[in-house]
């Protein structure tokens, strides 16, 4: 997985469809309920001036979020990690160029094998990284361990169908294919729209549909703002954007408004007391029970 992300920094292959100006305006309007707000601006507005001494950023990539948090004064210091050493080098260099190096510490780690100190952080950030986590229970349990009693967790995430949902439930793609097939041939890069399962990144959307259900076990939701993209995220990566006219893009955005949201902002706080003990026990036990069940099926099978 780290090889994939190292390559993406050097030779980016992803289609950054969210950067299309009209799409960005649409997303920011949903985030702000009519007011145009970037995700971090919506969270900042929710906080009403609250700041954090020490933050942890999980799956930081090239470091844009951490720099923004420090520059806005939302966090006094940030520890941030990623599995891609190339991304970390770029993040560190850019932070130093902007004079933020002393306040941001970058290190390499694997979020599927989390080891965090006890009660160290005031807030934990995810920015499009949780949907790459296979061992959500282990990571959430570690976050409960490392957050201070009044700490928070922030997510800006894809929470739509996982790669296995797409593979096992072909009907999920029916509406997307109907819309895609109505596009002019000069716009389509493939003859038949395929499930958005990225073969060269096996971590992509590995358990995305479990992110919120598992979060709810150990955390109380404070703030949740879906921002659509249930149609756009599947179709636009397969469109020749240089040929995309404004009328067609507007029509796709209108289709997106009618579809379930695949992306959302979430702020939550850790459960405490007996509820926290139950959550930790569930995070530890339930994956083991699932593995035992899978083994039994294989043996019987």
């Amino acid at each position: 997985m780290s090889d994939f992300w190292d390559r993406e920094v050097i030779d980016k292959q992803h289609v950054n469809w969210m950067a299309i100006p009209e799409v960005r305006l649409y997303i920011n309007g949903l985030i702000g309920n009519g007011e145009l707000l970037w995700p971090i601006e919506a969270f900042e507005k929710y906080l009403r001036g609250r700041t954090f001494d020490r933050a942890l950023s999980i799956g930081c990539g090239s470091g844009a979020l951490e720099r923004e948090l420090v520059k806005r004064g939302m966090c006094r210091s940030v520890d941030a990690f990623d599995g891609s050493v190339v991304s970390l080098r770029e993040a560190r260099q850019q932070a130093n160029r902007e004079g933020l190096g002393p306040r941001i510490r970058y290190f390499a780690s694997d979020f599927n094998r989390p080891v965090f100190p006890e009660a160290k952080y005031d807030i934990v950030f995810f920015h499009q990284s949780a949907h790459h986590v296979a061992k959500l229970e282990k990571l959430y349990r570690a976050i409960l361990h490392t957050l201070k009693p009044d700490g928070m967790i922030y997510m800006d995430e894809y929470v739509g169908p996982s790669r296995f949902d797409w593979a096992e439930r072909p009907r999920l793609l029916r509406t997307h294919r109907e819309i895609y097939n109505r596009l002019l041939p000069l716009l389509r890069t493939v003859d038949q729209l395929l499930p958005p399962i990225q073969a060269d990144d096996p971590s992509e959307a590995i358990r995305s549909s479990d992110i919120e259900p598992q979060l709810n076990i150990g955390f109380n939701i404070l703030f949740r703002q879906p921002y659509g993209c249930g149609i756009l995220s599947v179709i636009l990566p397969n469109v020749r954007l240089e040929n995309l006219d404004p009328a067609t893009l507007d029509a796709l955005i209108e289709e997106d408004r009618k579809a379930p949201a695949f992306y959302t902002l979430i702020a939550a706080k850790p459960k405490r007391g007996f509820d926290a003990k139950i959550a930790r026990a569930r995070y530890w036990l339930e994956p083991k029970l699932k593995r035992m069940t899978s083994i039994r099926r294989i043996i019987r099978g």
Side-chain angles (χ1 to χ4, degrees):
M1 185 178 71
S2 60
D3 290 343
F4 171 84
W5 289 108
D6 287 345
R7 188 200 72 199
E8 277 294 302
V9 175
I10 298 167
D11 182 20
K12 191 173 181 63
Q13 301 295 318
H14 275 89
V15 176
N16 190 9
W17 53 271
M18 279 192 178
I20 299 171
E22 294 84 355
V23 173
R24 194 69 246 176
L25 288 172
Y26 164 63
I27 290 172
N28 289 2
L30 291 177
I31 288 171
N33 288 313
E35 182 182 1
L36 296 178
L37 294 177
W38 288 83
I40 203 64
E41 290 176 328
F43 183 52
E44 190 174 32
K45 185 176 181 180
Y46 168 79
L47 291 174
R48 296 182 179 178
R50 179 180 176 181
T51 59
F52 302 94
D53 285 330
R54 193 151 199 170
L56 175 66
S57 179
I58 294 178
C60 61
S62 56
L65 175 63
E66 298 78 56
R67 296 192 296 273
E68 186 73 9
L69 293 171
V70 171
K71 285 190 286 189
R72 285 181 174 272
M74 295 174 67
C75 299
R76 293 183 179 87
S77 68
V78 184
D79 292 345
F81 73 87
D82 200 274
S84 165
V85 293
V86 176
S87 296
L88 289 170
R89 183 172 65 243
E90 181 176 309
R92 197 175 289 114
Q93 290 173 347
Q94 187 60 37
N96 289 335
R97 280 194 290 267
E98 297 183 26
L100 306 173
R103 298 173 64 184
I104 306 175
R105 183 177 75 94
Y106 289 106
F107 61 100
S109 189
D110 182 352
F111 42 46
N112 285 306
R113 297 180 177 87
V115 180
F116 303 144
E118 182 177 1
K120 182 174 183 178
Y121 295 106
D122 302 286
I123 188 165
V124 173
F125 286 91
F126 289 89
H127 180 244
Q128 302 301 332
S129 56
H131 68 272
H132 293 281
V133 179
K135 297 183 178 181
L136 283 169
E137 296 89 349
K138 181 178 282 190
L139 183 55
Y140 285 154
R141 193 167 188 262
I143 291 171
L144 283 175
H145 174 76
T146 203
L147 275 175
K148 294 178 182 178
D150 61 343
M152 292 180 68
I153 187 170
Y154 165 89
M155 287 186 166
D156 176 0
E157 273 300 333
Y158 169 79
V159 295
S162 75
R163 62 192 301 119
F164 305 108
D165 294 329
W166 290 109
E168 294 167 4
R169 297 160 58 194
R171 294 180 65 181
L172 283 173
L173 203 60
R174 177 183 295 174
T175 300
H176 301 84
R177 281 179 170 161
E178 290 174 354
I179 295 170
Y180 190 74
N181 290 341
R182 294 200 298 263
L183 297 178
L184 294 173
L186 62 86
L187 293 174
R188 302 197 297 262
T189 62
V190 293
D191 293 330
Q192 183 181 34
L193 190 68
L194 297 174
I197 299 172
Q198 194 159 336
D200 55 353
D201 178 13
S203 75
E204 178 65 32
I206 190 165
R207 292 186 62 192
S208 51
S209 56
D210 289 334
I211 289 172
E212 290 192 88
Q214 288 297 327
L215 183 70
N216 288 329
I217 291 173
F219 299 83
N220 294 314
I221 305 303
L222 302 171
F223 164 88
R224 183 179 185 275
Q225 183 58 56
Y227 60 91
C229 299
I231 297 294
L232 297 178
S233 64
V234 179
I235 290 181
L236 287 180
N238 297 285
V239 167
R240 292 187 176 90
L241 298 181
E242 67 276 12
N243 296 333
L244 185 60
D245 60 281
T248 301
L249 180 56
D250 287 345
L252 290 174
I253 289 173
E254 288 309 308
E255 292 286 357
D256 196 88
R257 292 184 190 277
K258 297 181 285 186
F262 284 179
Y263 289 78
T264 191
L265 300 181
I266 299 172
K269 65 178 181 179
K271 292 181 179 179
R272 294 297 172 190
F274 184 71
D275 289 339
K277 292 179 181 178
I278 293 295
R280 289 191 182 96
R282 289 185 62 183
Y283 284 147
W284 182 83
L285 182 61
E286 290 182 9
K288 293 174 174 56
L289 293 176
K290 289 177 184 176
R291 282 196 296 272
M292 289 173 61
T293 301
S294 298
I295 291 170
R296 287 195 190 101
R297 286 176 181 167
I298 293 170
I299 293 172
R300 291 172 183 171

